[in-house]
């Protein structure tokens, strides 16, 4: 690892462990890991990682480490656990854990574990707010100085440059954090095509839209797309927890309703107090076959998926009645099963698309069936093409696009004889 990369890892805002899979002993711990666990970095190195968590979580931790070290995938997995802090009171802290495996030059198999907690999130969010307030105050002072004296022109210019530099740093931070919440590459289910796109409404804030596609076994793949309430670092923390909870839940029970119920339990427990957080999510599984693909999905308050058949028939998958995830202790989720034939395309999207403000009347795009009409006008299509067409549509909305938009499309390709 290069010196700059090592410095970034040492000063990362989240805790990072490197664990020897054979012995479960910690080989490396960064500064944030020591702060979160209330132990020194020296004390952490050599400690068995199971000693840091409550006994109830040990079976889940062992399962996660086993999956991470044997799956052969670079995709992270995770769950929520109680971390035992080395203080007199030995308080418990809720954390999110993700793990992915890699092999050291010496050949030892290690697992990297990342810890996130709500206290760290609040500190980072407060720091961002303080930085923004400081920049605004500096700009106001510079403008007042310009009115009072020509001599203050130089100071005003310096303040403006400082504010621009700070804004650039905030944009870089937001962009970097957003990229960590989305998969860099999507692997398509066997024999199918997949395409996705994320369109941020603002460069200054981290959005709450997310999606992912991942294998569950040799025949079946899981996927999800959703939208967390709010924006900024708080929404990013919920998005991270949501993604890893969905992945972990699907490993143990891939039934779409069960997966959403698991996520609802986690979010409702973590965010039901003074800062409630919830999201809309569609989760599903895809099983390709020789004549198409079977899609089983469940929706928690999310807009219905759009299906475009091989002969250009457009309809919506009926998942009405599904309630928000995390808002209620026992919500109702709606499910559906769809069989895609060769040439069929299924598109998932977040409500930033349908609620964009358009036209002279400044109405929402989908108030009068705008999305269905747009898809019908495109005719039969493919997953990459419909995502490209919708991306161009988003660009045409201009400032009418007031929320982030995530797009995810699946396609069963036509056989050469059917083309």
């Amino acid at each position: 690892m290069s010196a700059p990369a090592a410095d970034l890892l040492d000063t990362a805002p989240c805790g990072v462990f490197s664990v020897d899979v054979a012995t479960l002993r910690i080989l490396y711990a960064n500064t944030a890991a020591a702060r979160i666990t209330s132990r020194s970095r020296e004390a952490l190195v050599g400690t068995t990682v199971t000693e840091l968590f409550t006994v109830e979580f040990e079976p889940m931790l062992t399962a996660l480490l086993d999956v991470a070290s044997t799956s052969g995938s670079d995709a992270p997995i995770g769950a929520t656990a109680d971390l035992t802090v080395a203080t007199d009171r030995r308080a418990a802290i809720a954390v999110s854990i993700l793990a992915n495996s890699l092999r050291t030059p010496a050949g030892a198999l290690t697992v990297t574990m990342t810890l996130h907690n709500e206290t760290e999130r609040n500190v980072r969010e407060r720091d961002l707010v303080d930085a923004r307030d400081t920049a605004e105050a500096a700009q106001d002072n510079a403008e007042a100085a310009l009115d009072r004296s020509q001599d203050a022109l130089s100071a005003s210019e310096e303040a403006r440059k400082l504010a621009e530099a700070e804004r650039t740093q905030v944009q870089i931070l937001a962009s970097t954090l957003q990229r960590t919440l989305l998969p860099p590459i999507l692997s398509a289910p066997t024999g199918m095509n997949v395409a996705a796109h994320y369109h941020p409404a603002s460069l200054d804030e981290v959005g709450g839209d997310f999606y992912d596609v991942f294998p569950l076994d040799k025949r079946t793949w899981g996927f999800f797309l959703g939208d967390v309430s709010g924006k900024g670092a708080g929404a990013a923390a919920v998005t991270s927890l949501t993604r890893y909870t969905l992945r972990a839940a699907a490993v143990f029970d891939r039934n779409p309703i069960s997966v959403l119920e698991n996520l609802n339990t986690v979010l409702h427990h973590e965010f039901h107090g003074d800062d409630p957080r919830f999201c809309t999510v569609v989760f599903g599984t895809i099983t390709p076959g020789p004549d198409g693909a079977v899609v089983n999905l469940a929706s928690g308050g999310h807009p219905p998926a759009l299906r475009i058949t091989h002969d250009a028939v457009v309809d919506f998958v009926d998942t009405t009645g599904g309630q928000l995830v995390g808002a209620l202790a026992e919500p109702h989720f709606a499910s559906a099963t769809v069989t895609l034939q060769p040439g069929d395309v299924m598109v998932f999207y977040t409500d930033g698309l349908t609620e964009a403000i358009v036209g002279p009347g400044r109405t929402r795009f989908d108030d009068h069936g705008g999305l269905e009409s747009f898809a019908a006008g495109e005719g039969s299509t493919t997953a990459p093409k419909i995502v490209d067409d919708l991306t161009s549509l988003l660009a045409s909305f201009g400032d009418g696009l007031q929320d982030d938009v995530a797009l995810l499309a699946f396609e069963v390709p036509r056989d050469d004889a059917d083309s």
Side-chain angles (χ1 to χ4, degrees), residues 263-273 277 326-330:
L263 175 61
N264 186 82
T265 298
V266 172
L267 293 185
H268 189 68
H269 172 76
E270 297 293 335
F271 301 104
H272 68 279
R277 297 280 181 170
L328 303 172
E330 297 183 0

Side-chain angles (χ1 to χ4, degrees), residues 168-182:
T168 299
Q169 289 299 317
V170 170
Q171 289 179 346
I172 292 173
L173 176 61
S175 176
T176 301
L177 183 55
Q178 188 71 63
R179 286 197 298 271
T180 68
L181 302 176
L182 299 172

Side-chain angles (χ1 to χ4, degrees), residues 353 356 358 365 370-371 374 387-398 401:
L353 167 63
V358 298
F365 169 64
L371 180 57
F374 176 83
V387 168
D388 286 344
D389 291 342
L390 288 172
T391 300
S392 298
L393 175 67
L394 294 174
S396 72
F397 291 155
L401 189 63

Side-chain angles (χ1 to χ4, degrees), residues 337-349:
T337 298
V338 177
T339 299
L340 298 180
Q341 300 178 7
D344 289 355
V345 175
M346 182 174 286
V347 185
F348 301 89
Y349 52 91

Side-chain angles (χ1 to χ4, degrees), residues 96-229:
S96 172
I97 304 173
L98 62 93
N100 53 0
S101 64
L102 55 94
R103 196 169 293 278
T104 67
L109 188 62
T110 65
V111 166
T112 300
M113 297 179 59
T114 305
L115 309 182
H116 306 262
N117 69 25
E118 187 66 11
T119 300
E120 295 290 330
R121 179 190 73 79
N122 289 335
V123 170
R124 292 195 295 273
E125 188 172 26
R126 186 170 60 251
D127 288 344
L128 286 174
V129 172
D130 291 343
R132 181 201 63 192
D133 293 343
T134 299
E136 291 176 353
Q139 188 69 35
D140 290 342
N141 291 337
E143 292 176 356
L146 183 62
D147 292 337
R148 290 193 303 267
S149 171
Q150 184 64 29
D151 293 339
L153 180 60
S154 177
S156 175
E157 180 65 14
E158 289 301 317
R160 184 191 64 80
K161 291 179 179 179
L162 176 61
E164 288 295 325
E166 289 177 345
R167 183 172 184 269
T168 299
Q169 289 299 317
V170 170
Q171 289 179 346
I172 292 173
L173 176 61
S175 176
T176 301
L177 183 55
Q178 188 71 63
R179 286 197 298 271
T180 68
L181 302 176
L182 299 172
I185 299 176
L186 288 180
S187 299
T190 304
M192 298 183 67
N193 294 327
V194 62
H197 176 73
Y198 173 76
H199 186 102
S202 169
L203 297 177
D204 298 327
E205 290 186 301
V206 182
D209 291 10
F210 58 91
Y211 58 82
D212 205 352
V213 182
F214 52 96
L216 291 171
D217 55 40
K218 293 182 179 180
R219 297 183 61 248
T220 302
W221 293 66
F223 70 90
F224 54 79
L225 179 141
D227 182 5
V228 168
S229 61

Side-chain angles (χ1 to χ4, degrees), residues 7-366:
D7 290 342
L8 287 175
L9 191 60
D10 279 346
T11 59
C14 56
V16 179
F17 293 145
S18 179
V19 180
D20 187 315
V21 173
T23 65
L24 297 184
R25 294 192 179 276
I26 297 173
L27 305 178
Y28 166 85
N30 71 351
T31 301
R35 181 172 60 252
I36 292 172
T37 60
S38 298
R39 292 168 169 83
S40 68
R41 297 175 68 178
E42 293 76 11
L44 285 172
V45 173
T47 298
T48 303
V49 69
T50 52
E51 296 177 18
L52 302 178
F53 300 91
T54 55
V55 174
E56 293 80 6
F57 181 68
E58 186 170 340
M60 173 69 80
L61 176 61
T62 302
L64 289 175
L65 291 173
D66 181 64
V67 171
S69 61
T70 60
S71 67
S73 171
D74 291 332
I77 59 175
T80 297
D82 283 338
L83 179 71
T84 301
V85 180
T87 64
D88 292 338
R89 292 189 61 191
R90 301 187 65 80
I93 298 176
V95 298
S96 172
I97 304 173
L98 62 93
N100 53 0
S101 64
L102 55 94
R103 196 169 293 278
T104 67
L109 188 62
T110 65
V111 166
T112 300
M113 297 179 59
T114 305
L115 309 182
H116 306 262
N117 69 25
E118 187 66 11
T119 300
E120 295 290 330
R121 179 190 73 79
N122 289 335
V123 170
R124 292 195 295 273
E125 188 172 26
R126 186 170 60 251
D127 288 344
L128 286 174
V129 172
D130 291 343
R132 181 201 63 192
D133 293 343
T134 299
E136 291 176 353
Q139 188 69 35
D140 290 342
N141 291 337
E143 292 176 356
L146 183 62
D147 292 337
R148 290 193 303 267
S149 171
Q150 184 64 29
D151 293 339
L153 180 60
S154 177
S156 175
E157 180 65 14
E158 289 301 317
R160 184 191 64 80
K161 291 179 179 179
L162 176 61
E164 288 295 325
E166 289 177 345
R167 183 172 184 269
T168 299
Q169 289 299 317
V170 170
Q171 289 179 346
I172 292 173
L173 176 61
S175 176
T176 301
L177 183 55
Q178 188 71 63
R179 286 197 298 271
T180 68
L181 302 176
L182 299 172
I185 299 176
L186 288 180
S187 299
T190 304
M192 298 183 67
N193 294 327
V194 62
H197 176 73
Y198 173 76
H199 186 102
S202 169
L203 297 177
D204 298 327
E205 290 186 301
V206 182
D209 291 10
F210 58 91
Y211 58 82
D212 205 352
V213 182
F214 52 96
L216 291 171
D217 55 40
K218 293 182 179 180
R219 297 183 61 248
T220 302
W221 293 66
F223 70 90
F224 54 79
L225 179 141
D227 182 5
V228 168
S229 61
K231 292 183 180 296
V238 181
T239 299
S240 178
L241 177 60
T242 297
R243 288 189 65 228
Y244 299 127
T245 300
L246 287 170
R247 273 181 166 267
V251 169
F252 293 97
D253 187 347
R254 66 184 59 177
N255 179 285
I257 292 289
S258 298
V259 171
L260 292 190
E261 288 175 344
N262 185 295
L263 175 61
N264 186 82
T265 298
V266 172
L267 293 185
H268 189 68
H269 172 76
E270 297 293 335
F271 301 104
H272 68 279
D274 296 334
D275 184 26
R277 297 280 181 170
F278 53 84
C279 62
T280 68
V281 183
V282 58
F283 174 89
T285 61
I286 298 180
T287 305
D291 300 319
V294 177
V295 182
N296 293 301
L297 57 89
S299 174
H302 202 77
L306 184 70
R307 178 174 58 178
I308 307 169
T309 68
H310 58 283
D311 51 0
V313 175
V314 178
D315 62 1
F316 289 98
V317 178
D318 185 9
T319 52
T320 56
Q323 295 174 313
L324 294 173
V325 182
L328 303 172
E330 297 183 0
H332 169 75
F333 300 127
S335 62
T337 298
V338 177
T339 299
L340 298 180
Q341 300 178 7
D344 289 355
V345 175
M346 182 174 286
V347 185
F348 301 89
Y349 52 91
T350 52
D351 60 10
L353 167 63
T354 54
E355 295 182 359
I357 304 302
V358 298
R362 306 297 291 170
T363 58
R364 294 187 300 182
F365 169 64
D366 202 42

